[in-house]
Amino acid sequence: MRPRASGRSGILLAAVVIVGAGVLAYSNTFSVPFIYDDLGDIVENPAVHGFRDAQKEPLSPGGVNLTSRPVADLTFAANYALDGLNVRGYHVVNLLIHVLGALALFGVVRRTLTSAGLRERFLPHATSLAFVVALLWLVHPLQTESVTYIVHRYESLLGLFFLLTLYAAIRGMESGKPGWFVASVLLSALGMATKERMVVAPVIVLLYDRAFFSGTFKEALRRRRSFYLGLAATWAVLAVVILRAAHVAGGFGFGMTVLEYARIQVPAVVHYLQQAFWPHPLVLHCGFSYENGRPILPGAAEVIPCLIILSVLLATTVIAVLRRPQWGIPAAWFFLLLAPTSSVIPNWEAVEEHHTYLPLAGVIVLAVVGVYLLWRTAVGRRVGFAVAILCVAALGAATYARNHDYRSAVSIWEDTVSKRPLSPRARLCLGNALARSGRVPEAIEQYQLALQLNSDYADAHTNLGIALVGSGRAPEAVEHYREALRLNPKLPEAHVGLGVQLFEAGQTQEAVDHFRKAIRLNPNSANARYSLGNALAATGPENIGKAIQLFEEALWLRPDYPEAHMNLGIALISSGPNNVGKAIEHYHEALRLRPDYPEALLNLGNALLSTGRIAEAVDLYQQALQLKPDYPEAHNNLGVALVQSGRIQEGIKHYEEALRLVPDYPNARMNLQAAQRTPLLQP
């Protein structure tokens, strides 16, 4: 009697449970905020905002470039077009991608177990085994970094395209229908434009074909020459997007030798294998730990045993691929997918959980099938299935708990620092999170600790400078900006920070030079354009037009920039009385974005006063003084408005208060003297 596979109802039930398990495990992630790379790649990336702001003219004829991962960026752009920066939508899409990836993995494993060479052994339980594999992969805590951390959609979307590429290829090999092969090539191309790790997809498809369909590489290439030429052509897509991108994501060549990097990766790969079976501790990417200014590299006592383990595993994998290819595929899958980051090419992201997103599937397949083969009796297999479901429940609970660590930027980086206290990068990221939450003194402490670990950390010098300025310690900040630029002259934020301090010290031309360098280094920096606009506006009326253009460009890049709205309003009024109406619109927008903005209230009051709307101006000046009682300009201008409305005595009191705050305030003294000479004041 021939073994029978599960029917469609069983497959459908398995799919429904997979979807439900994914939603349950990640149900506490929908309000997780944008963190770290999310800010640069999504929140402040005008390429992502392009769909929604398509009516705007680009800043240059070339427009704004996407990164080297344009397909993923397009999904972020779609999120932004639908609901702006509402974080919930981004998490929904991330989870959808992950669940679809699990369903694709379910399909790949099920069809593999029902293939000609394996059906006699696995057909009756193929759906159950594929179901367990997909569930374990779906809810495994190692996947949280690729799903909960929004920007790592790069990894999960790559995984989806990779699995669908293989699934379509399998369907084509089974049926011979060319449509499946065309779909596989198109999916491979999309994957190549999503993330660099897709480079190994054509190799794995060929290995799979040789193992399950053709028997030899030569026969696979003979049967499906056009298909493999198409897959190979998708490497050109990867080459094009990398060459056109401003940088290769991940960052290569940062001063570590090939041997030093390999020394890190040997125990790292063993660590990934350990985490597949015991996912603890989980650490958000945090770079290297440092001691005495140098990365801490694993010693021989750690490297040698791991090297022996890896050598045995790699040798076993090669032998299996050559002699028993059907059993070698999962192991080859693991090593090949790790190769782009865990080989000898130095990569700043040396040991990261998201690197295991796809490789984990190979480990799980080997574990599940291995347990199934060990428990040969029906009772044993039922026990094995029950144990597997308990493992799914335990892993799902661990995933839910891990996602709780992401509840805020501060909480996830506090967790990271507690586990990697010697990582300067973790300290930097915690400092950034603390600074954004208003805890600047604590942020300064973290930046200083990062610099104690690595005094050559240019980013830490820059961010410490920014925090020191916010604490009123500008002279110290200048030293850190200069040190950051000595270490790395290509840091736009350091150029902007130093330029602002130079401008405030009256060194306008030097400040302008730094702002222009920042714009050349990062054309998408709204901060640099805004700061250059301020500097040019201060050099005289001949540069007001250029300043207006720079403020408008800053707002194109960052529409929610209240300071740029306000200073654009000031520049518009300086350019002539015909622009007062436009200036008023920008002042209103600045106040919508930041209601507690006394300077915007003052300038809006000034604009309304110039158009004769005295009562409204009085109200705005009073609001500004409620927010900032020691605001001499607001006292003076309120005095002017009150005098114009006939309330001369009240006006005089505000002139006197302005002079108390700034005794050499010429406008307030002149206004006071004029008010005191007013006939209405005579007895």
Side-chain angles (χ1 to χ4, degrees), residues 636 648 652 655-656 659 665-679 681-682:
N636 176 68
I648 297 172
I652 285 175
Y655 292 145
E656 290 173 340
L659 287 165
Y665 190 171
N667 285 354
R669 186 164 301 282
M670 180 181 66
N671 290 334
L672 175 60
Q673 292 170 351
Q676 288 172 335
R677 290 195 299 268
T678 302
L681 293 179
Q682 299 303 317

Side-chain angles (χ1 to χ4, degrees), residues 38-56:
D38 292 341
L39 302 175
D41 287 5
I42 301 172
V43 177
E44 299 167 2
N45 186 356
V48 164
H49 306 168
F51 288 171
R52 194 169 185 172
D53 303 330
Q55 73 279 9
K56 297 182 179 179

Side-chain angles (χ1 to χ4, degrees), residues 482-548:
R482 292 194 185 280
E483 180 64 10
L485 291 172
R486 184 189 69 80
L487 293 165
N488 182 0
K490 295 183 178 181
L491 282 178
E493 297 84 0
H495 280 291
V496 172
L498 180 57
V500 168
Q501 296 309 309
L502 291 170
F503 174 59
E504 292 182 356
Q507 302 176 53
T508 304
Q509 188 52 55
E510 191 177 350
V512 166
D513 292 341
H514 280 286
F515 296 143
R516 285 178 170 154
K517 286 177 184 176
I519 292 171
R520 283 196 297 272
L521 291 167
N522 180 11
N524 299 335
S525 172
N527 228 8
R529 292 177 186 275
Y530 165 77
S531 300
L532 181 56
N534 289 339
L536 292 178
T539 60
E542 67 276 8
N543 285 321
I544 286 295
K546 181 61 177 174
I548 289 172

Side-chain angles (χ1 to χ4, degrees), residues 623-645:
Q623 290 181 48
L625 288 169
Q626 287 176 2
L627 294 167
K628 188 177 176 181
D630 57 348
Y631 194 177
E633 291 84 358
H635 280 290
N636 176 68
N637 293 14
L638 177 55
V640 171
L642 290 169
V643 168
Q644 288 185 13
S645 64

Side-chain angles (χ1 to χ4, degrees), residues 172-318:
M173 294 170 196
E174 288 175 342
S175 66
K177 294 180 180 178
W180 285 110
F181 293 120
V182 171
S184 182
V185 171
L186 291 176
L187 288 162
S188 178
L190 289 170
M192 297 292 180
T194 298
K195 194 169 184 182
E196 300 81 359
R197 199 191 303 273
M198 190 72 182
V199 68
V200 301
V203 177
I204 287 183
V205 171
L206 179 60
L207 285 172
Y208 189 98
D209 187 356
R210 179 248 185 178
F212 293 100
F213 290 94
S214 300
T216 66
F217 292 121
K218 182 177 180 181
E219 182 64 15
L221 293 171
R222 186 191 67 78
R223 287 185 184 181
R224 287 176 270 276
R225 185 182 305 275
S226 298
F227 171 52
Y228 287 110
L229 286 173
L231 282 181
T234 65
W235 282 326
V237 175
L238 177 59
V240 168
V241 295
I242 289 177
L243 290 173
R244 291 194 60 184
H247 66 281
V248 176
F252 294 90
F254 51 90
M256 182 170 286
T257 68
V258 165
L259 289 177
E260 286 175 329
Y261 190 74
R263 187 169 148 190
I264 292 171
Q265 289 309 308
V266 168
V269 174
V270 175
H271 172 69
Y272 293 148
L273 285 168
Q274 170 258 305
Q275 285 199 309
F277 295 97
W278 187 256
H280 180 81
L282 296 176
V283 184
L284 186 62
H285 65 164
C286 58
F288 302 105
S289 292
Y290 272 69
E291 193 172 56
N292 300 322
R294 287 288 300 165
I296 300 173
L297 301 177
E302 183 180 0
V303 173
I304 292 173
C306 292
L307 183 60
I308 293 170
I309 292 170
L310 277 188
S311 298
V312 171
L313 291 175
L314 280 168
T316 303
T317 298
V318 171

Side-chain angles (χ1 to χ4, degrees), residues 102-441:
L103 292 172
L105 178 61
F106 171 69
V108 167
V109 175
R110 182 181 170 277
R111 289 193 169 272
T112 300
L113 295 177
T114 58
S115 62
L118 300 178
R119 68 169 48 244
E120 289 297 324
R121 180 174 289 180
F122 294 104
L123 187 61
H125 301 101
T127 298
S128 297
L129 290 170
F131 171 66
V132 169
V133 167
L135 272 182
L136 289 169
W137 183 82
L138 175 74
V139 304
H140 200 290
L142 267 179
Q143 309 293 51
T144 52
E145 188 175 303
S146 300
V147 182
T148 309
Y149 185 4
I150 295 172
V151 81
H152 280 312
R153 181 182 300 179
Y154 295 127
E155 196 74 50
S156 58
L157 191 60
L158 158 74
L160 177 60
F161 286 133
F162 192 104
L163 290 164
L164 289 176
T165 296
L166 180 56
Y167 180 80
I170 293 170
R171 295 298 301 270
M173 294 170 196
E174 288 175 342
S175 66
K177 294 180 180 178
W180 285 110
F181 293 120
V182 171
S184 182
V185 171
L186 291 176
L187 288 162
S188 178
L190 289 170
M192 297 292 180
T194 298
K195 194 169 184 182
E196 300 81 359
R197 199 191 303 273
M198 190 72 182
V199 68
V200 301
V203 177
I204 287 183
V205 171
L206 179 60
L207 285 172
Y208 189 98
D209 187 356
R210 179 248 185 178
F212 293 100
F213 290 94
S214 300
T216 66
F217 292 121
K218 182 177 180 181
E219 182 64 15
L221 293 171
R222 186 191 67 78
R223 287 185 184 181
R224 287 176 270 276
R225 185 182 305 275
S226 298
F227 171 52
Y228 287 110
L229 286 173
L231 282 181
T234 65
W235 282 326
V237 175
L238 177 59
V240 168
V241 295
I242 289 177
L243 290 173
R244 291 194 60 184
H247 66 281
V248 176
F252 294 90
F254 51 90
M256 182 170 286
T257 68
V258 165
L259 289 177
E260 286 175 329
Y261 190 74
R263 187 169 148 190
I264 292 171
Q265 289 309 308
V266 168
V269 174
V270 175
H271 172 69
Y272 293 148
L273 285 168
Q274 170 258 305
Q275 285 199 309
F277 295 97
W278 187 256
H280 180 81
L282 296 176
V283 184
L284 186 62
H285 65 164
C286 58
F288 302 105
S289 292
Y290 272 69
E291 193 172 56
N292 300 322
R294 287 288 300 165
I296 300 173
L297 301 177
E302 183 180 0
V303 173
I304 292 173
C306 292
L307 183 60
I308 293 170
I309 292 170
L310 277 188
S311 298
V312 171
L313 291 175
L314 280 168
T316 303
T317 298
V318 171
I319 292 169
V321 167
L322 293 175
R323 297 185 178 180
R324 300 289 299 275
Q326 293 176 338
W327 301 104
I329 287 293
W333 173 291
F334 176 80
F335 286 113
L336 284 172
L337 281 163
L338 276 180
T341 53
S342 297
S343 55
V344 295
I345 302 173
N347 184 338
W348 178 249
E349 295 183 342
V351 185
E352 307 290 351
E353 289 166 14
H354 66 266
H355 291 172
T356 66
Y357 183 78
L358 264 181
L360 180 63
V363 179
I364 291 173
V365 166
L366 285 173
V368 170
V369 172
V371 170
Y372 173 82
L373 293 175
L374 285 174
W375 283 340
R376 297 176 181 275
T377 67
V379 173
R381 286 170 179 168
R382 281 196 292 271
V383 171
F385 184 77
V387 170
I389 296 304
L390 286 175
C391 289
V392 168
L395 291 171
T399 291
Y400 189 91
R402 176 56 175 165
N403 286 330
H404 182 68
D405 294 334
Y406 284 86
R407 64 192 180 275
S408 73
V410 171
S411 66
I412 189 61
W413 289 116
E414 284 179 337
D415 174 81
T416 305
V417 165
S418 71
K419 295 168 181 173
R420 295 291 184 269
L422 298 181
S423 167
R425 186 179 178 191
R427 297 281 181 185
L428 173 79
C429 293
L430 177 56
N432 294 345
L434 290 166
R436 290 191 183 93
S437 63
R439 297 160 63 179
V440 177

